[in-house]
Amino acid sequence: MAAGRPVDVAVAAARKGVFMEMGGDAPDWGIPLLFLRAKDGELFAVEQPSQLTGPAIPPPPEPARPPGVETFIGRKAELAHYAGLLESRGMAVVAGMPGVGKTALAVTLARALCPPEKLFWHAFHEGEEVASILWKLAAFLAWNGRTAVWEMIQGIALSGGDLPPPDVLLDYFLQSLRGQGYLLVLDDVQFVLEDPALERLLNRVGQVVAAGELRLLLVSQQTPDFIPAGDVRPLTGLTREESEGLLALHLPSVDPALAAELHQRTHGNAQLLHLAARACENIRPDRLLHELLASQDVERFLLNQVDEHLEESEKEAMSGLDL
């Protein structure tokens, strides 16, 4: 009010503060009431409001988008399975070995089920904490026209105040996420499996998911311990036909016998098949297969073959390959 804001805005801010302090399960936030006779809520004029207002709230960063998927072959049964889980339960877990194609499947699934503006995508990295997604969620909501959360946490941070505990913040965020048709996708969850906050986060989000007001897709190399093993069907490699189709995109004249051998040697691992196709650009396929059959470490052999012919910039990109 001292900054020239209407009294009804001040009361609304007070209600938000009580909500954050007490949590969403307590009804206390509804206690502050306003009975107003004034038409506009401005009880008095402030001569120099610009000197009394705090620093400007910065605009939210653009939300992260799913990574690009150059080629996606087959997986019709898997896509139908996970789509069915999201439809019936609101939640699905895509788990499997590195390189098997979990992220590519999740991207394809998410794009088929959700418009871009309703899709929240976050990929965890090593050393990250679960609480980091709260800022990303606030920015995502702001980009969707629900700016209250972003303005609130930015205002607290800029004024030097202490943010409420993450659990309380999450309750406030979930109020804005409910019933809007959003799909949350959390990729590389294996990096935060040891963070105790993960189970608390998924329990709170799970309550909203169970009510049919939000959908959640987890992508991880390992399944979190607190999720029943029977609820997760691990993603395996491509079928022989799918492997042959993937290789044919890169090697149109690939010998069917070679494709079948590569499928068997890589167990249909999509990432390894991509590497094999890349290696065939610089070595005869029959020679590649001969050396591959003699190798004890398929992954390392293919990486070395590709690495020998990469530029320095390409090697830096390949260094982050998750195999």
Side-chain angles (χ1 to χ4, degrees):
M1 291 173 64
R5 305 296 296 277
V7 64
D8 52 324
V9 174
V11 173
R15 290 165 66 92
K16 292 178 182 178
V18 176
F19 181 94
M20 291 176 58
E21 180 70 22
M22 303 301 295
D25 296 329
D28 303 60
W29 63 272
I31 292 176
L33 300 176
L34 174 67
F35 297 91
L36 185 66
R37 293 178 181 269
K39 294 182 179 180
D40 55 12
E42 295 183 0
L43 303 187
F44 50 84
V46 178
E47 295 182 359
Q48 297 178 335
S50 60
Q51 297 180 5
L52 298 173
T53 56
I57 301 295
E62 184 176 357
R65 301 301 179 190
V69 177
E70 295 181 4
T71 56
F72 188 81
I73 297 293
R75 299 290 197 187
K76 292 183 178 180
E78 291 88 343
L79 286 171
H81 170 71
Y82 292 114
L85 288 177
L86 289 173
E87 178 67 24
S88 61
R89 301 184 183 182
M91 177 179 174
V93 180
V94 181
M97 296 293 292
V100 77
K102 301 182 297 297
T103 297
L105 184 142
V107 170
T108 304
L109 179 64
R111 288 175 173 169
L113 298 180
C114 183
E117 67 274 9
K118 297 291 186 178
L119 174 60
F120 174 81
W121 184 284
H122 180 76
F124 289 105
H125 57 77
E126 191 171 0
E128 187 176 5
E129 295 182 352
V130 169
S132 65
I133 71 167
L134 296 180
W135 288 89
K136 305 294 179 64
L137 277 171
F140 172 77
L141 287 168
W143 271 78
N144 281 273
R146 306 175 75 86
T147 61
V149 178
W150 176 258
E151 294 174 353
M152 175 186 63
I153 65 175
Q154 285 290 340
I156 294 174
L158 291 172
S159 65
D162 294 328
L163 288 174
D167 291 349
V168 176
L169 270 179
L170 180 61
D171 283 340
Y172 191 65
F173 290 172
L174 290 176
Q175 293 299 323
S176 297
L177 290 168
R178 287 178 181 272
Q180 301 300 313
Y182 293 128
L183 170 62
L184 308 187
V185 182
L186 304 182
D187 193 8
D188 288 328
V189 176
Q190 70 271 4
F191 289 125
V192 291
L193 288 179
E194 301 301 322
D195 189 341
L198 178 64
E199 184 172 3
R200 297 198 301 271
L201 168 74
L202 295 183
N203 284 339
R204 294 295 296 117
V205 174
Q207 295 176 21
V208 182
V209 168
E213 297 182 295
L214 186 66
R215 291 180 294 175
L216 175 65
L217 180 62
L218 303 180
V219 185
S220 178
Q221 292 180 16
Q222 297 95 34
T223 304
D225 293 337
F226 50 85
I227 294 180
D231 292 347
V232 180
R233 186 172 72 185
L235 186 67
T236 57
L238 299 173
T239 66
R240 175 176 171 176
E241 291 74 17
E242 291 169 344
S243 296
E244 292 174 352
L246 178 60
L247 288 170
L249 289 176
H250 302 279
L251 304 169
S253 59
V254 62
D255 181 15
L258 171 63
E261 287 289 350
L262 286 176
H263 165 74
Q264 182 177 358
R265 197 74 172 93
T266 61
H267 303 288
N269 185 295
Q271 193 68 266
L272 294 181
L273 289 168
H274 276 289
L275 287 175
R278 182 70 181 269
C280 285
E281 296 174 1
N282 304 295
I283 183 174
R284 293 199 323 270
D286 57 338
R287 178 186 165 194
L288 172 70
L289 180 59
H290 175 75
E291 296 183 7
L292 187 62
L293 292 175
S295 173
Q296 297 298 318
D297 190 336
V298 176
E299 298 173 6
R300 183 51 50 197
F301 170 77
L302 290 174
L303 283 171
N304 289 339
Q305 287 294 324
V306 174
D307 185 69
E308 289 179 5
H309 303 277
L310 291 178
E311 301 292 338
E312 287 302 319
S313 59
E314 293 176 311
K315 289 182 180 181
E316 291 181 6
M318 285 291 291
S319 65
L321 188 63
D322 184 19
L323 281 175

